[in-house]
Amino acid sequence: MKEETKIALIQLFEDWADDKVVETEILPQSGSYREYIRLVGEKRTALGAYNADKKENTAFLSFSKYFASKGLSVPEIYCENSEQDIYLLQDLGNTTLFDYILHLRVGEGFANDLIVIYKKIISQLVRFQKEGEKGLDYTVCYPRDSFDKQSMIWDLHYFKYYFLKLAKIPFDEQLLENDFQKFSDYLLDAPRDYFLYRDFQSRNIMLVNGEPWFIDYQGGRKGALQYDLASLLYDAKADLPQEVRDELLAFYLEEIQKVQEIDPKAFVSFFQGYVLIRIMQAMGAYGFRGFYERKDHFLKSIPFALKNLETILDRMDIPVELPELVKALKSVISSDFLKSVGKEDKPKLHIEINSFSYRRGIPLDKTTNGGGFVFDCRAIHNPGRYQEYVEMTGKDQPVIEFFKEQSEMDEFLSSVYSLIDMSVDKYISRNFANLQVNFGCTGGRHRSVFSAESLAKHLREKFDVNISLKHIEREIEGK
């Protein structure tokens, strides 16, 4: 985020809140070009947003105000400055549904708590779809006000040019175009007068005190009921088991039939088609962001998308023949190149161990992991109080002997090892990348240095991990 944009957002916050900003946090970007900053005041907090796309801003702000007026769980818009393309909105925290899925998975199963949450989300989805039927201003939609023929062809071409071609999947161009026309014509037969969220997936659903809240619906427009349900249930990296998808589809049919008469058999047939076009759209995005823009983390979703694609092709029963498209999709599934994309040798956990002085403050975690440990060594008998040890550090043998003979260091480190070992085991099993451990004492020379050195030695002997060891106070002193 540019400094002038940050300053403008801070000013907007202080004028709105009549409060002084005391802390800021730039939030990492995801798949969009919008930029966010968390603004923390003495009394209030908010997210500041910047987006140079004025039409997209207009859509988001208009939709937010409408859905909030209907009691749906969307962030409140506090204020905006359209000239500078900035606005303030409610801070919903950091926990997305995707984050929650990672924490609650149980082995190869799917936690019951997650199914409960998904059912809450589906009930809210029905409300979005039906409320959008009524008074939503579709004139602000961007780039189109309906998921119509043109929108579908755009998505299919997105898949063709940014996925099939970049992945070197062979196909007959004309025959594939013919199938695109037949496929989109079929999908257009589904009723399409409902609000279509467009990107209804786990990273756009926040969890606040266990309840779902919804963000990033600025691409919304009119469309079929099936599309957003397909986005939710076949979200690639959420990786829902098929039996859970089937249970949630059945639940959706129960919920929608409370407010809308539908033919379940016809609904499911169209649903399969919309699952397929949604998977293709997502794969186009992975290809554009991954192959074209070379953002590797998008490539990591491809193995999950291949699995989803194989599942839907095995189950799909729609009344239209798509021979060239199916042929190309089966080539995608069997591609050795695509199977290898996004997979890499499992990286070793990196453990950063620091000793520091409390006079200078606790070291920052620059990985944005936000986790880790800080151990206060100041309760341990301090050799720095004795003249013969003042110029030494926790790496010198006399100081090492002091800790072994005249302090509680062994007992302290035994407790530290138990805590750290438990975390390292868990971090390795869940493929986490980073863990930070900090040891602080008064001067950052004796107790903290010895503790950091001891932990590094312990971890090297017990785990296959990468360790970086830093004695901050000694580096500041140039020693």
Side-chain angles (χ1 to χ4, degrees):
M1 178 175 285
K2 293 181 179 179
E3 188 64 24
E4 56 264 34
T5 302
K6 179 179 176 181
I7 292 170
L9 282 164
I10 290 173
Q11 186 62 56
L12 187 65
F13 175 91
E14 293 184 343
D15 291 343
W16 160 74
D18 190 25
D19 193 6
K20 184 174 179 58
V21 170
V22 295
E23 184 181 340
T24 64
E25 178 189 359
I26 303 292
L27 303 187
Q29 282 184 271
S30 54
S32 76
Y33 298 109
R34 291 183 302 280
E35 299 177 61
Y36 293 99
I37 181 172
R38 176 169 284 119
L39 301 164
V40 181
E42 294 175 348
K43 296 175 288 186
R44 306 191 70 170
T45 184
L47 288 187
Y50 166 75
N51 183 6
D53 192 328
K54 292 181 182 294
K55 291 183 177 180
E56 192 173 83
N57 286 342
T58 298
F60 177 74
L61 296 170
S62 176
F63 293 164
S64 295
K65 292 168 187 176
Y66 175 79
F67 287 131
S69 74
K70 299 299 179 181
L72 285 159
S73 298
V74 298
E76 181 182 353
I77 305 300
Y78 295 139
C79 61
E80 58 198 88
N81 182 328
S82 58
E83 290 184 2
Q84 294 181 288
D85 304 319
I86 58 176
Y87 52 91
L88 299 181
L89 68 161
Q90 183 179 358
D91 183 359
L92 300 177
N94 294 321
T95 304
T96 66
L97 173 62
F98 179 71
D99 297 327
Y100 199 68
I101 288 170
L102 293 183
H103 281 82
L104 275 193
R105 280 199 186 281
V106 180
E108 295 299 317
F110 202 76
N112 287 333
D113 286 354
L114 277 170
I115 295 176
V116 170
I117 289 172
Y118 266 89
K119 288 183 176 179
K120 289 181 180 180
I121 291 166
I122 286 171
S123 296
Q124 291 294 304
L125 172 60
V126 170
R127 290 196 59 208
F128 272 102
Q129 293 173 327
K130 294 298 290 181
E131 292 292 354
E133 245 189 325
K134 302 170 186 175
L136 190 70
D137 181 6
Y138 285 98
T139 66
V140 301
C141 291
Y142 177 69
R144 294 181 75 81
D145 64 2
S146 174
F147 192 59
D148 54 11
K149 175 94 170 180
Q150 183 65 69
S151 299
M152 293 179 187
I153 294 299
W154 280 347
D155 281 358
L156 294 169
H157 283 171
Y158 194 42
F159 171 72
K160 180 175 76 171
Y161 291 115
Y162 285 110
F163 195 86
L164 291 183
K165 284 186 176 288
L166 295 181
K168 297 181 173 58
I169 300 297
F171 58 87
D172 183 299
E173 189 103 26
Q174 186 57 61
L175 293 179
L176 187 64
E177 283 296 323
N178 294 344
D179 282 358
F180 283 172
Q181 295 297 321
K182 288 187 288 182
F183 186 38
S184 55
D185 285 342
Y186 166 68
L187 295 176
L188 288 170
D189 286 339
R192 295 179 295 110
D193 290 328
Y194 311 96
F195 178 72
L196 188 151
Y197 196 109
R198 180 60 169 161
D199 200 16
F200 197 73
Q201 45 95 356
S202 60
R203 288 178 176 81
N204 289 337
I205 300 170
M206 309 298 296
L207 292 179
V208 183
N209 298 322
E211 297 298 319
W213 285 66
F214 303 89
I215 61 173
D216 282 6
Y217 33 76
Q218 59 280 338
R221 62 199 74 179
K222 285 187 178 180
L225 295 170
Q226 289 89 344
Y227 188 91
D228 285 335
L229 184 64
S231 300
L232 180 69
L233 300 189
Y234 286 82
D235 180 3
K237 290 193 76 172
D239 197 26
L240 272 65
Q242 189 57 47
E243 63 271 18
V244 173
R245 290 181 181 137
D246 293 340
E247 178 182 347
L248 295 175
L249 172 58
F251 179 77
Y252 176 89
L253 291 172
E254 292 174 7
E255 290 294 290
I256 193 65
Q257 288 181 100
K258 293 176 182 177
V259 293
Q260 169 84 42
E261 185 176 342
I262 64 166
D263 177 348
K265 184 176 180 181
F267 183 96
V268 171
S269 178
F270 280 120
F271 175 70
Q272 293 170 349
Y274 275 101
V275 168
L276 183 57
I277 196 172
R278 173 60 184 181
I279 291 174
M280 292 165 67
Q281 185 275 336
M283 294 176 88
Y286 303 150
F288 177 70
R289 299 292 191 186
F291 295 136
Y292 184 73
E293 292 191 331
R294 300 193 180 281
K295 296 179 178 178
D296 288 346
H297 63 282
F298 285 95
L299 299 178
K300 293 178 181 177
S301 293
I302 289 177
F304 297 97
L306 296 180
K307 179 180 174 184
N308 285 346
L309 184 58
E310 185 172 18
T311 297
I312 195 61
L313 286 180
D314 286 343
R315 298 163 63 94
M316 193 166 66
D317 181 20
I318 60 176
V320 58
E321 295 294 324
L322 306 168
E324 188 64 19
L325 176 56
V326 170
K327 178 182 173 183
L329 294 176
K330 287 183 176 179
S331 295
V332 166
I333 292 169
S334 62
S335 167
D336 290 335
F337 166 69
L338 288 174
K339 289 176 182 177
S340 68
V341 166
K343 294 184 178 180
E344 55 189 28
D345 292 336
K346 183 177 174 182
K348 291 183 182 180
L349 173 66
H350 172 246
I351 304 175
E352 176 188 333
I353 304 174
N354 300 307
S355 68
F356 71 95
S357 166
Y358 275 100
R359 293 168 181 162
R360 299 185 191 274
I362 298 170
L364 293 175
D365 177 8
K366 296 180 181 178
T367 68
T368 73
N369 182 44
F373 295 87
V374 179
F375 293 104
D376 188 344
C377 306
R378 289 175 294 184
I380 298 168
H381 192 185
N382 184 11
R385 296 169 55 189
Y386 302 95
Q387 187 60 42
E388 63 265 36
Y389 304 118
V390 168
E391 297 302 320
M392 297 181 184
T393 75
K395 297 172 68 174
D396 292 313
Q397 192 59 39
V399 175
I400 293 171
E401 294 299 325
F402 177 93
F403 285 129
K404 289 181 178 179
E405 298 172 3
Q406 301 183 48
S407 78
E408 313 86 346
M409 183 62 80
D410 285 348
E411 183 180 355
F412 170 77
L413 287 177
S414 177
S415 299
V416 168
Y417 295 162
S418 295
L419 288 170
I420 302 299
D421 288 356
M422 182 171 61
S423 286
V424 171
D425 274 327
K426 184 65 71 175
Y427 275 40
I428 290 173
S429 69
R430 296 177 61 189
N431 296 328
F432 284 10
N434 298 284
L435 174 65
Q436 186 185 68
V437 184
N438 300 302
F439 292 95
C441 63
T442 306
R445 292 170 55 87
H446 299 96
R447 294 166 290 184
S448 60
V449 169
F450 178 84
S451 298
E453 291 281 340
S454 299
L455 178 64
K457 181 176 182 294
H458 167 80
L459 293 176
R460 287 188 183 109
E461 292 174 350
K462 186 167 183 178
F463 297 100
D464 183 19
V465 293
N466 291 325
I467 292 174
S468 60
L469 179 59
K470 186 175 182 181
H471 301 302
I472 294 173
E473 194 66 22
R474 302 296 291 158
E475 290 191 7
I476 292 172
E477 294 173 354
K479 298 179 181 179

